[in-house]
Amino acid sequence: MKSRLLGVAIAAACVLSAPQARAQQFINILTGGTSGVYYPLGVAMGKIYGDKIPGVKTQVQATKASVENLVLLQRGSGEIAFSLGDSLKAAWEGDEEAGFKSKLDKLRVIGAIYPNYIQIVATAESGIKTLADLKGKSLSVGAPKSGTELNSRAILKAAGMDYKDIGKVEYLPFAESVDLMKNRQLTATLQSAGLGVASLKDLSNSSEITVVSVPKEVVDKIGPPFVAATIPSGTYKGQDKDVPTAAVINYLVTSSAVSDDVAYQMTKLIFDNLPELANAHAAGREIKLEGAATGSPVPLHPGAIRYYKEKGLIK
């Protein structure tokens, strides 16, 4: 009798725990600083996934962005992440100078999304108008070993400079950089982000600014994955003309440890819900299905490939 009751109890426990186990399927979305573009897009993705993938719980994690995100994916501490294309390439190759001690071989791509624009903004009173004018001045280059910081190094090198030429280098996230500029403790910031990033909008609404150009010849010296681009006039208050700059494509990245089915659903729901991403941030308007499956320095996840084949983007 006792053994029969024990068997019934174990069976009942299994029945009760099965739905609970399914409900604990987890998607951790690795983004960036809360004042950047990755974070609001990640929040929108979290709501989409939580609402439309049965039995999934989502979390949106603020991080130092690209480099940290890719390291966390390799460790199994996230299911999907935002990354700049140059950081992704460096991670796949194991570029130690970029912050990767070994090749991150578990990385797989969900798809290309929108371009990050290199946006160098100085206080108007600093007199900075060109890259050369940054010499001897104070510049925030992004959090250490972040995608933005790697972009800063690349831009300065192509312009014939390095950190030694800068009067004072600050390694700060976007919002903190802007706070220092408002308090006249910093003259310029380089922010790699989608157009209309909240931090720079905040700065332009409270202070007179100059958006510093990155000439095409400088961009050409760096080469792929950097391309010449334009920050349209009116992107920020007081910016009355187009400004040439560089851009780098962003990617949504996952891990080989994520199942094909989950990766398929994550990919499909992104492109089925583009209006929600556009509402979350203006950069979301630049995400297009047409170019999502091309140009990645890292292999696509099989789940993403399945979706792109359904859409006729891959044969």
Side-chain angles (χ1 to χ4, degrees):
M1 177 67 75
K2 285 183 179 178
S3 62
R4 188 179 301 167
L5 289 173
L6 179 61
V8 171
I10 291 172
C14 290
V15 170
L16 289 171
S17 64
Q20 189 174 20
R22 283 196 297 272
Q24 289 174 350
Q25 187 176 7
F26 200 65
I27 294 178
N28 188 27
I29 303 167
L30 304 169
T31 60
T34 55
S35 61
V37 178
Y38 289 171
Y39 188 80
L41 289 178
V43 170
M45 285 167 52
K47 186 174 189 314
I48 291 165
Y49 292 161
D51 289 347
K52 300 189 178 184
I53 303 178
V56 158
K57 293 179 69 175
T58 62
Q59 173 179 300
V60 180
Q61 182 175 341
T63 68
K64 294 178 183 177
S66 299
V67 176
E68 183 180 10
N69 289 351
L70 298 173
V71 171
L72 289 172
L73 279 179
Q74 179 76 12
R75 290 178 185 167
S77 299
E79 283 64 48
I80 189 167
F82 292 81
S83 176
L84 279 166
D86 58 333
S87 299
L88 185 59
K89 182 175 184 288
W92 187 247
E93 295 172 351
D95 184 341
E96 191 166 353
E97 188 177 338
F100 305 105
K101 295 181 180 178
S102 60
K103 175 182 167 70
L104 303 192
D105 59 354
K106 295 180 182 177
L107 301 180
R108 299 292 184 272
V109 163
I110 290 293
I113 43 175
Y114 66 92
N116 251 32
Y117 292 79
I118 307 302
Q119 300 170 79
I120 304 173
V121 174
T123 58
E125 65 183 17
S126 71
I128 296 171
K129 295 181 179 179
T130 67
L131 289 174
D133 293 336
L134 292 170
K135 291 181 178 179
K137 304 291 174 57
S138 56
L139 171 69
S140 178
V141 295
K145 295 294 179 74
S146 64
T148 291
E149 203 252 314
L150 296 182
N151 289 172
S152 297
R153 293 190 205 182
I155 294 294
L156 291 175
K157 182 178 179 181
M161 295 187 286
D162 59 27
Y163 288 168
K164 292 178 184 176
D165 296 304
I166 306 300
K168 185 178 181 182
V169 176
E170 298 281 4
Y171 297 88
L172 297 171
F174 296 173
E176 286 87 337
S177 301
V178 164
D179 287 343
L180 286 185
M181 291 178 75
K182 287 179 180 179
N183 293 327
R184 298 183 174 180
Q185 295 173 285
L186 180 72
T187 53
T189 178
L190 186 152
Q191 303 196 1
S192 179
L195 294 174
V197 62
S199 53
L200 296 180
K201 279 200 165 184
D202 175 34
L203 178 63
S204 69
N205 286 332
S206 60
S207 309
E208 287 189 32
I209 64 166
T210 300
V211 182
V212 181
S213 70
V214 180
K216 185 178 184 299
E217 55 267 27
V218 171
V219 183
D220 290 344
K221 282 183 183 177
I222 308 172
F226 288 80
V227 296
T230 300
I231 303 171
S233 64
T235 299
Y236 301 105
K237 185 177 179 181
Q239 181 203 344
D240 57 4
K241 61 181 179 180
D242 292 351
V243 177
T245 193
V248 187
I249 295 296
N250 284 284
Y251 290 86
L252 285 172
V253 189
T254 186
S255 159
S256 58
V258 171
S259 73
D260 290 3
D261 183 55
V262 170
Y264 169 81
Q265 291 184 78
M266 290 195 302
T267 309
K268 180 179 184 342
L269 288 171
I270 288 294
F271 295 102
D272 283 356
N273 294 277
L274 289 179
E276 283 85 343
L277 297 182
N279 288 336
H281 194 281
R285 298 174 201 153
E286 298 187 62
I287 303 174
K288 309 291 183 186
L289 175 61
E290 290 74 21
T294 60
S296 170
V298 171
L300 291 166
H301 193 289
I305 291 174
R306 175 183 154 199
Y307 173 75
Y308 295 132
K309 282 184 175 179
E310 287 180 0
K311 291 296 182 178
L313 297 180
I314 296 177
K315 293 184 179 180

